[in-house]
Amino acid sequence: MAELGDVRIEESLKVKIGEAKNLPSHTVSNSGRSTFCSIKIDSETIYKTSVVEKSLNPFYGEEFQGEIPKKFRFLSFMVHDNGSKTDKIIGKVTLKKDELYRYHNKEHWFPLTPIDVDAQVQGKVHLEIRFDEILNTEPESFSSHRMAVRILECSDLTVINGSCNPYAVVMVTHTKSKHKDVKRTNVKKKTICPNFDETFFFDLENKGQNHDRNLYTFDDAFNGELSISVWHDDSKVSREVLGNMFPGAFLGEVKIPLRDLDIQSVHKAWYCLQARENSKQSRLDLGSLRLKISYTADYVFLSHYYNDLRCLILRSCDVRPISASAAYLLGEIVDNRAEAAQPLLKLTYHHGKLVLLVKALASWEVSKTVDPNTLFRGNSLVTKIIDELMKFIGLPYLHSTIKINIDDICSEQKPCEIDPSRLKDGENLSENMENLKSYVLKIIDSITASGLVCPTAMREVFHAIKESAVSQYSGMPTIRYLVVSSFIFLRFFAPAILGPKLFELRPDTQDSTVNRTLTLISKSIQGLVNIVSAKNISFGLKEEYMVPLFESLSDPIHVDKVKMFLDIISSSCGAHLRNIEAPIILKEGTLIKRAQGRKKFGLKNFKKRYFCLSNQHLSYSKSKNEKPLCVIPIEDILAVESLQEESFKMNYMFQVVQPQRALYVQAHNCVEEKEWLDILTKVCNTNKNRLRTYHPAAMVNGHWLCCKSVDIMAVGCTPVSGGLPVTEIKVNIDSDREVEKIHSLFLTNMDKLDAYQDCMRNATDACGCQEVYSGDTEPHPMLVIDDTKICFETVTEIQKCVISLEQEHKRYVKLVQRQTVIGSIDAPIGEDCNSTSRL
Amino acid sequence: MREYKIVVLGSGGVGKSALTVQFVQGIFVEKYDPTIEDSYRKQVEVNGCQCMLEILDTAGTEQFTAMRDLYMKNGQGFLLVYSITAQSTFNDLQDLREQILRVKDTEDVPMILVGNKCDLEDERVVGKDQGANLARNFNCGFLETSAKAKVNVGEIFCDLVRLINQKNPEKVPKRKKKSNCALL
Ligand SMILES: Nc1nc2c(ncn2[C@@H]2O[C@H](COP(=O)(O)OP(=O)(O)OP(=O)(O)O)[C@@H](O)[C@H]2O)c(=O)[nH]1
Ligand SMILES: [Mg+2]
């Protein structure tokens, strides 16, 4: 059974900030405002949108996604007026953490409320309250009490303008007499966790003496209220006029009706500081803000709790039909396939099963598609998994490929409009066309040159989907381009160009002119890709103004480049599969090579050879079109480095290191040398057995010139240059958390699983039959069951895993409840949500 | 002349572009070229009035959904297209409609549900009654169309114009008798 400490809570937040509407206009000018929106957790700003100029209905259209590493109580959204010099907030939306689930994943318009400094509260205060009976000599009077309020400490207070000099005010207010008894602590400097430890006494007296200012009837006394407020002392003055107009900045308060306190016991507890109740509730209409908020908290147990479910999911790629696997079923029951695709991707990627799963799902989808033209164009589980993969590991690749181009476009602001009906005054259509064309061609060059640095995992997946499509539609030569481009272009490069901010290519959003340019570029590139994957070129049916551009892009130079790029990124990375594919020639030309003999001594001559590098081999022959004399498989290239001149007293030499020897090659000039080095490095960079060190010079006269070692097999003396390309990132995946996510997806959709199961139970045929399940309530999606028996088994297994995990969760919640001490620092009184509540 | 901003929405490959191009140019586009964002203008006569339609043919590909919000904000009337040959395209419309209503912040948005590719009767998986039910559920118009066989193509656009007129009568309030569009 899980112990308290064995469970981690991982919280993440995703927000789409759509737009605001009906913001109040400037009272004076009655004009629009320039605004931006920010996200805050408690008092910390975690995100800001770009500024939207001059609008009372600003459209932000931005997304934030991140992990929240600390406990928080409030999530707020501020709409800021960017026009004024000081930060002016027009209005805000504040949501308590425990009401977030209500809006989970649904879009809402939230009314903006006025910014109220007193409501920006966080932190807690530690108090001890005790009552002492005061012995009274007069026989008729009731006993009287003295209340001791000890302010121990505060924690996690709000920082105001970069500082926090807190002090606390203790006050007893009496309902009837309206009298206030006010005391305060000393000021602590520069701390959000002040340790006060000061005690204050209040006499709660019996009747008969209420003419005295500090003494009250018992009844009256206990009708009163104790309040502790915490303030930031922002100047000397404020302290002196304490209790008057200017006490400093309010940091929060706690109000305790005296009635609630049992005079027999000592109350020592942490209290959450609360916002000040505000009487001046302004009913001003400040407009509203459209948001979509997804907040999730995963309660992750120790690894072994997840083994069963993890195995079940990972086994999916071996289940046939794949439609009876746990992974597939998960994709069917969730409301939004991306929700299922994310954890499935991460889990299978982490455990090396991704390609197998994609292969199985893709083959199944291919077999179900009637029209090859629409293959992989829908939102199925496999397309979503590949989307997520590209987003998950593809960003560095995207950036290294087209960020420079996008930056230029955004900064140069060249006019590119080619639609005559949208042309601005003074713009010239043919000039714009030239501008646009040059941007498009540059991006095409960048993309098509990037094939070799495309992340291995993406290439493997593209290979898998290409294979599955080609095997079904062997008679359709363009199918390979169609399917690969529908991911790399349609779902990756084209949307990234259109919305660079969403792909983190740009920190800001663009103005409408740049956006239009980006749209035109995105359209042009997709247009070229459409030409590449077409059987025969035909266009001109759609937007007329694009036709001239498409015509010039349909030049075989561009088409062939794109084809070669698509071939490279979908070529297999595994050596054993290489020979069944035709190699793609990457570079060829004449070089001079030194004989490769392994003898230590003896003359090794230099000969002119015709070299050819493909994505599978490096080979050379006497001349072009002759049989190769030597073929080196790519995976045997352990390093490619230049060679020190003194080795053979020759310049422009480089070495291709293989397991048993090195091939020494001389280029004709430094440019050529660099070209070969670059492309060879790219090709073999992801080789698993790539060397870490090498010898920068050759072995001459029995010893390595560089390190003087006499052992020909001595390990290198110098680290190899480069390293993994930046596009091959290493990502951290929390396998347990992903399984937990999958668990909770299954759990929330348990009713659908149960319904499938009932339906299958009722099916009399044992197996092999085609069931179509349609839920009783209308919008339930239909499940196509290929194999009732296997599917039934899988569903049963899922239920078993999920139920047992959920029992663990319930046990944990109980444990937490039992062990939570209300009033302890971790569960202060007045906290809206504590760790026992689970979404 | 009054202008109408019409937005064509729906999943990839359902025939949004084919319908739009059929309506604007009178040609059927056989080839499938996924759209990023195309716009067309066409003048038509509806109920005796000349109207300028500005039609935005959008991307069905999900990666472009970030743009959708903006289309929805600017559009006045919407065609929600699915293909009668693909169940998932039909299921996708629920979310799409909800998003429109959210963005518009009203229940009353001119839209028509369109079940395209009705020439492919043999491959039908979404029944006509299913479409009609959903339209009732959506409280909107419904027609099955074929961009290929030119079935109901002009109708969906003209009906939508009428719905926009109903919601926002032109400045000169000329009481028209109830429009005869195919509301179910
Ligand atoms: N048989 C038939 N085929 C159609 C019809 N409408 C479209 N198609 C075909 O379906 C495929 C996709 O059509 P498009 O109009 O390009 O699809 P879309 O909805 O614009 O797709 P995206 O732009 O990717 O969102 C094309 O091959 C069309 O020829 C139809 O009414 N009947
Ligand atoms: Mg289209």
Side-chain angles (χ1 to χ4, degrees), chain B residues 11-18 28-32 34-35 58-60 116-117 119-120 146-148:
Chain B
S11 303
V14 296
K16 296 181 296 296
S17 302
F28 174 62
V29 190
E30 184 71 47
K31 182 167 179 297
Y32 177 28
T35 311
T58 67
N116 189 40
K117 306 200 187 178
D119 55 295
L120 299 175
S146 166
K148 188 172 185 177

Side-chain angles (χ1 to χ4, degrees), chain A residues 493-716:
Chain A
F493 283 119
I497 294 166
L498 198 61
K501 170 136 194 194
L502 293 173
F503 287 76
E504 294 165 33
L505 280 168
R506 294 284 299 177
D508 44 359
T509 49
Q510 309 308 317
D511 66 33
S512 59
T513 318
V514 174
N515 271 335
R516 173 67 183 160
T517 301
L518 293 172
T519 306
L520 286 168
I521 294 171
S522 189
K523 282 166 65 128
S524 312
I525 288 173
Q526 185 58 44
L528 169 59
V529 173
N530 289 342
I531 293 166
V532 169
S533 41
K535 266 178 278 176
N536 35 35
I537 300 171
S538 72
F539 39 74
L541 299 176
K542 295 190 178 169
E543 289 171 312
E544 223 172 295
Y545 67 86
M546 292 298 285
V547 173
L549 187 61
F550 288 157
E551 260 162 9
S552 79
L553 289 177
S554 64
D555 187 308
I557 297 179
H558 309 307
V559 174
D560 290 345
K561 262 199 274 187
V562 174
K563 281 186 176 166
M564 172 146 151
F565 167 71
L566 292 172
D567 281 333
I568 289 175
I569 62 167
S570 60
S571 61
S572 101
C573 307
H576 53 289
L577 287 168
R578 284 236 166 88
N579 32 13
I580 48 174
E581 279 176 50
I584 304 159
I585 308 296
L586 303 170
K587 188 167 178 65
E588 46 195 335
T590 318
L591 296 168
I592 296 154
K593 66 121 206 149
R594 183 174 183 259
Q596 288 193 79
R598 253 195 298 162
K599 274 180 279 157
K600 272 187 205 172
F601 305 102
L603 227 146
K604 284 163 190 152
N605 51 0
F606 287 83
K607 282 206 174 107
K608 223 181 203 170
R609 289 289 176 253
Y610 193 79
F611 277 76
C612 178
L613 173 69
S614 77
N615 61 334
Q616 300 178 2
H617 318 102
L618 174 67
S619 62
Y620 56 79
S621 49
K622 281 225 173 79
S623 63
K624 196 175 177 172
N625 301 327
E626 263 186 81
K627 255 185 74 183
L629 300 165
C630 170
V631 177
I632 305 168
I634 294 299
E635 51 281 358
D636 282 353
I637 302 180
L638 308 183
V640 185
E641 299 286 343
S642 58
L643 187 73
Q644 282 173 2
E645 246 178 73
E646 59 260 42
S647 303
F648 305 114
K649 311 278 179 296
M650 293 164 80
N651 42 16
Y652 318 132
M653 284 213 73
F654 61 92
Q655 46 181 322
V656 177
V657 185
Q658 304 153 66
Q660 298 301 327
R661 69 193 93 166
L663 170 65
Y664 299 113
V665 187
Q666 187 191 31
H668 296 102
N669 55 59
C670 61
V671 176
E672 194 183 66
E673 183 195 359
K674 184 174 180 334
E675 279 174 4
W676 277 99
L677 273 176
D678 284 353
I679 193 145
L680 278 163
T681 308
K682 274 186 189 169
V683 174
C684 65
N685 227 340
T686 51
N687 275 354
K688 292 208 170 58
N689 46 357
R690 196 175 186 284
L691 290 182
R692 287 161 197 277
T693 53
Y694 77 109
H695 293 285
M699 183 162 232
V700 178
N701 299 330
H703 69 268
W704 292 100
L705 281 182
C706 41
C707 58
K708 313 291 181 244
S709 168
V710 292
D711 179 4
I712 186 137
M713 296 312 286
V715 290

Side-chain angles (χ1 to χ4, degrees), chain A residues 317-470:
Chain A
C317 45
D318 305 321
V319 174
R320 292 294 179 280
I322 188 78
S323 61
S325 69
Y328 178 86
L329 289 169
L330 181 66
E332 288 304 293
I333 59 173
V334 292
D335 295 331
N336 175 351
R337 285 221 172 86
E339 263 187 339
Q342 270 163 17
L344 283 176
L345 160 74
K346 290 187 187 170
L347 198 67
T348 53
Y349 180 71
H350 185 70
H351 295 279
K353 298 278 189 187
L354 174 65
V355 179
L356 287 176
L357 181 67
V358 166
K359 215 177 260 175
L361 287 169
S363 306
W364 188 81
E365 187 164 328
V366 169
S367 74
K368 296 276 167 185
T369 310
V370 256
D371 179 3
N373 287 307
T374 53
L375 194 53
F376 300 128
R377 292 281 156 95
N379 297 311
S380 60
L381 185 61
V382 67
T383 63
K384 282 276 129 198
I385 286 178
I386 301 175
D387 287 349
E388 293 297 332
L389 173 72
M390 293 192 294
K391 261 195 264 168
F392 186 55
I393 63 159
L395 288 192
Y397 165 59
L398 180 73
H399 290 200
S400 79
T401 307
I402 59 167
K403 180 159 172 42
I404 300 176
N405 305 98
I406 301 289
D407 285 343
D408 285 349
I409 294 161
C410 294
S411 60
E412 291 172 359
Q413 309 246 344
K414 285 192 201 156
C416 292
E417 184 56 73
I418 54 166
D419 180 354
S421 69
R422 301 198 202 198
L423 212 58
K424 289 196 190 116
D425 285 345
E427 278 180 13
N428 177 313
L429 210 55
S430 61
E431 236 168 65
N432 288 5
M433 178 63 99
E434 284 316 304
N435 291 341
L436 179 61
K437 216 189 274 179
S438 102
Y439 281 146
V440 170
L441 292 180
K442 274 186 203 152
I443 292 192
I444 288 171
D445 282 342
S446 299
I447 294 175
T448 52
S450 73
L452 290 171
V453 294
C454 179
T456 318
M458 279 166 67
R459 287 160 68 179
E460 285 174 343
V461 159
F462 295 150
H463 176 72
I465 54 151
K466 181 182 79 179
E467 291 295 295
S468 60
V470 168

Side-chain angles (χ1 to χ4, degrees), chain A residues 21 109 384 387 523 541, chain B residues 25 37 62-63 102 105:
Chain A
K21 66 174 181 182
W109 283 97
K384 282 276 129 198
D387 287 349
K523 282 166 65 128
L541 299 176
Chain B
Q25 335 256 40
E37 173 195 304
E62 262 215 349
Q63 278 59 33
R102 277 288 137 61
D105 205 12

